[in-house]
Amino acid sequence: MSALAAPAAPARTTATSAAQRTPQLRAAATTQALDRQAARIRRRTGPTPPTRPAPGLRLATGTAAGTVVPHPSLEGAQRPRDWDRLRFRPALEETGARAPALSAAAADLPDPARFAAVVVTAAAEVLSGQRRADHLARWTTPELFEALARRAGLARRLLGCAPTRLRPRSVHAQPPSHGTCEVTILLDDGARVRAAAARLETFRGRWLLAALEIA
């Protein structure tokens, strides 16, 4: 009996190995089917385009999540030590005459040199933070007043107030012509002397500071 049962052992071994290979064959067949399906989809839709970040979005590289990435401060938020707060050259639009052209004698206007010395010095004090801008509202044109107030506000936020005041050293006025007068002034702040050029215009019987440049 034992001699007759011996040949049956290889059959059981073959059946066991086939049963072990069946899951592997099924997995390989499933993988091949998925690959074929993906190939058919690529043929229909074309190649997948590379992903790109949205405009304005920067992707952090080499930085762990939750890490604070340092960025340089904005230039406007710094305190520029070499910024000259008194250098003033606004871009003003020419608005033409504000009143009929009058001679200084006909309108009985004050001395343009003396008026310019006072108002230009006050404008420099506004730029240095020593005087409020609204003190010039009556003596300047609206365009120049807006430029002075905007520049003085920026200088005050960035630099605070200047420690010294200015005083005029010399004033030279051209003879008034057609209701305007050109004036040059030297301003002394104790550390350096600055040159200022101003244009005065007549308005309702008085002078207005219409343009100003300080170098």
Side-chain angles (χ1 to χ4, degrees):
M1 297 296 293
S2 61
L4 296 175
R12 287 195 300 271
T13 303
T14 303
T16 301
S17 60
Q20 293 175 351
R21 290 196 302 271
T22 299
Q24 299 176 358
L25 295 175
R26 289 178 181 176
T30 302
T31 302
Q32 293 176 358
L34 292 176
D35 292 341
R36 288 194 297 271
Q37 183 178 2
R40 287 195 298 270
I41 293 175
R42 286 195 297 270
R43 286 195 297 271
R44 294 175 185 174
T45 61
T48 303
T51 58
R52 296 179 180 179
L57 178 63
R58 294 189 303 174
L59 300 179
T61 58
T63 304
T67 303
V68 178
V69 179
H71 294 283
S73 303
L74 296 177
E75 182 179 356
Q78 298 175 351
R79 295 178 63 88
R81 300 180 183 275
D82 57 345
W83 185 53
D84 189 354
R85 64 189 302 163
L86 288 179
R87 185 179 294 274
F88 184 66
R89 190 176 183 180
L92 303 179
E93 296 182 0
E94 293 293 337
T95 57
R98 302 178 182 275
L102 299 175
S103 65
D108 195 17
L109 295 172
D111 181 17
R114 182 175 301 178
F115 173 86
V118 174
V119 178
V120 171
T121 303
E125 291 176 351
V126 168
L127 294 174
S128 65
Q130 299 292 338
R131 182 186 293 269
R132 293 172 50 184
D134 55 3
H135 290 176
L136 296 175
R138 175 177 169 79
W139 308 109
T140 58
T141 60
E143 296 82 9
L144 181 59
F145 173 78
E146 182 180 356
L148 283 168
R150 182 170 59 250
R151 176 63 179 272
L154 175 62
R156 189 181 303 108
R157 289 192 298 270
L158 295 179
L159 302 175
C161 295
T164 59
R165 292 182 179 271
L166 294 95
R167 61 183 183 87
R169 291 188 58 177
S170 64
V171 183
H172 299 279
Q174 297 292 332
S177 176
H178 302 287
T180 63
C181 181
E182 303 288 338
V183 185
T184 58
I185 304 174
L186 293 181
L187 297 173
D188 187 0
D189 63 359
R192 59 180 292 188
V193 177
R194 299 174 179 271
R199 187 179 77 248
L200 309 181
E201 293 181 358
T202 57
F203 180 72
R204 296 181 180 179
R206 57 188 173 91
W207 289 115
L208 284 183
L209 182 62
L212 175 64
E213 293 184 6
I214 301 177

